[in-house]
Amino acid sequence: CLWTLAAILKETLKDAPVPRAGFVKKLLAPLDAVLEGFYNAILLHHFDSHHCTSPYSEATNDLISFIDLLEALLASRVELELPLRCQRILFLKVSYILNIISSTIPYVIKKKFILLLKKCVLYKSREDDRGGSLLLQTPSLCEDMLVLSKAVLQVVNLTWLNQLTLSGKSSYFGSSEAAPGHDSQGVSDQTVLRALSLVVLKALEFKIHNSATEAEIK
């Protein structure tokens, strides 16, 4: 079901731009509350990292499918002038994802979540792409980015970064194992390191630009 919904959304975004908004709203509006409840259930209430110890487990595959759906929901957000709750959930409840990233989950899930956060901080509304004001044209996006930025900066200000490992197995043609004689120990994942750094920097930038007082900026 997760895969099917994500696939329909992705295919819809490839169609002509005029009828897309109506179809996206027609598809997602009845599922709005359901998808938010599903988000809460999967990432907060029923998530157990002990079930995701292997990158090949059913629980891991389910979580990967859910990440793909979240990515499709983020991409579909630009189609609606007033985004649905399920399209904003990534921003409004990003703390669930931050907690999972620092848990003992397979590296493939951790990497996908970090790259998804990168897409969030780089997200642009249709008006922003046309050169319009991000704050004036899309107040919901401004509000969502402030929530996301605050959550990211809060965990970074604690020990969140120190809990992260960035040394997943390197990928090779036909295998994820290093060839004989090649030691991959201690090699950090530069893609994830760059993405994580960008998330922190963009959160800091957005927070500073939208802080009311000099004391808050400091």
Side-chain angles (χ1 to χ4, degrees):
C1 290
L2 290 171
W3 183 91
T4 301
L5 185 56
I8 291 172
L9 270 176
K10 290 176 182 178
E11 286 301 315
T12 301
L13 297 179
K14 295 178 183 178
D15 294 336
V18 178
R20 288 196 305 211
F23 182 81
V24 168
K25 189 170 185 178
K26 187 176 181 180
L27 175 68
L28 295 180
L31 297 172
D32 200 22
V34 175
L35 288 173
E36 182 176 1
F38 206 46
Y39 183 95
N40 295 338
I42 288 183
L43 301 185
L44 179 64
H45 300 304
H46 297 154
F47 178 77
D48 186 352
S49 59
H50 296 297
H51 293 159
C52 294
T53 53
S54 167
Y56 310 106
S57 69
E58 184 177 352
T60 299
N61 287 332
D62 289 345
L63 203 50
I64 288 174
S65 294
F66 189 58
I67 296 172
D68 290 339
L69 176 58
L70 292 175
E71 189 174 331
L73 288 170
L74 177 66
S76 70
R77 176 177 177 149
V78 73
E79 300 302 327
L80 301 182
E81 185 176 344
L82 293 174
L84 298 169
R85 179 81 177 178
C86 65
Q87 294 171 304
R88 302 177 63 192
I89 198 72
L90 257 175
F91 297 86
L92 301 180
K93 296 186 178 180
V94 70
S95 58
Y96 299 178
I97 290 177
L98 296 174
N99 289 336
I100 290 180
I101 289 174
S102 61
S103 68
T104 56
I105 55 172
Y107 188 74
V108 62
I109 295 178
K110 189 173 299 191
K111 183 171 184 175
K112 285 182 74 70
F113 268 131
I114 291 173
L115 294 179
L116 183 60
L117 287 180
K118 175 187 170 183
K119 290 185 177 182
C120 286
V121 298
L122 294 180
Y123 179 83
K124 290 182 180 294
S125 68
R126 181 176 289 164
E127 290 80 4
D128 195 40
D129 282 335
R130 293 172 181 168
S133 169
L134 180 67
L135 301 182
L136 296 178
Q137 298 282 359
T138 53
S140 65
L141 181 57
C142 177
E143 177 187 337
D144 293 355
M145 279 299 300
L146 277 173
V147 173
L148 183 144
S149 300
K150 183 178 179 181
V152 169
L153 294 177
Q154 278 181 339
V155 296
V156 167
N157 200 36
L158 300 174
T159 59
W160 186 73
L161 286 175
N162 295 335
Q163 300 171 24
L164 303 186
T165 55
L166 300 176
S167 56
K169 290 182 179 179
S170 302
S171 296
Y172 301 87
F173 283 108
S175 173
S176 60
E177 301 294 339
H182 292 267
D183 183 15
S184 61
Q185 295 295 324
V187 178
S188 62
D189 188 329
Q190 297 299 306
T191 300
V192 172
L193 184 60
R194 285 193 297 268
L196 197 57
S197 300
L198 184 62
V199 168
V200 175
L201 288 173
K202 293 296 286 187
L204 189 61
E205 177 190 39
F206 198 86
K207 182 65 177 173
I208 289 175
H209 285 174
N210 294 279
S211 294
T213 65
E214 185 177 348
E216 190 177 6
I217 293 175
K218 288 182 179 180

